[in-house]
């Protein structure tokens, strides 16, 4: 009876550990995706601004969640947004960067 109990306890402990590691990996991946999107919106705003000055369209680029970045003109500037993990506008997780004026 005690051998079966030890196996059951070992299985439960292993499951808890695997769940904790999975949760940690998910959190680390989301943080990395947010960092990547933050850098990409800034770089894309510079590219969009340069391309707009030359009349060249900006190629479609996707954020880490597989959604196309939204590139819009704002006066002489450019605004680039990622819709974030929920892939919908608004909701508080959007990542946007506005580059004012053409440099």
């Amino acid at each position: 009876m005690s051998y079966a109990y030890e196996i059951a306890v070992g299985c439960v402990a292993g499951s808890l550990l695997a769940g904790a590691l999975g949760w940690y990996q998910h959190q680390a991946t989301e943080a990395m995706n947010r960092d990547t999107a933050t850098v990409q919106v800034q770089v894309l705003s510079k590219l969009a601004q340069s391309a707009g000055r030359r009349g060249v369209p900006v190629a479609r680029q996707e954020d880490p969640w597989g959604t196309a970045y939204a590139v819009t003109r704002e006066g002489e500037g450019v605004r680039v947004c990622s819709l974030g993990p929920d892939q919908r506008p608004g909701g508080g997780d959007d990542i946007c960067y506005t580059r004012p004026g053409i440099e």
Side-chain angles (χ1 to χ4, degrees), residues 46-101:
K46 180 70 172 174
L47 290 173
Q49 201 169 54
S50 295
R53 207 172 30 228
R54 294 189 310 267
V56 177
V58 177
R60 176 187 156 106
Q61 297 289 325
E62 291 185 351
D63 66 14
W65 299 279
T67 305
Y69 284 100
V71 180
T72 55
R73 301 287 289 166
E74 291 198 353
E76 291 294 312
V78 173
R79 181 173 177 84
V80 179
C81 289
S82 161
L83 299 179
D86 71 359
Q87 300 178 330
R88 290 182 297 223
D93 65 347
D94 296 0
I95 300 167
C96 295
Y97 182 78
T98 302
R99 182 173 294 280

Side-chain angles (χ1 to χ4, degrees), residues 5-17:
Y5 177 75
E6 289 174 8
I7 291 175
V9 168
C11 287
V12 168
S15 295
L16 290 172
L17 179 60

Side-chain angles (χ1 to χ4, degrees), residues 8 23 29 35 48 75 86 95 100:
W23 177 85
T29 300
D35 290 346
D86 71 359
I95 300 167

Side-chain angles (χ1 to χ4, degrees), residues 14-32:
S15 295
L16 290 172
L17 179 60
L21 290 174
W23 177 85
Y24 175 76
Q25 182 180 12
H26 173 74
Q27 295 300 316
T29 300
E30 279 304 306
M32 211 167 38

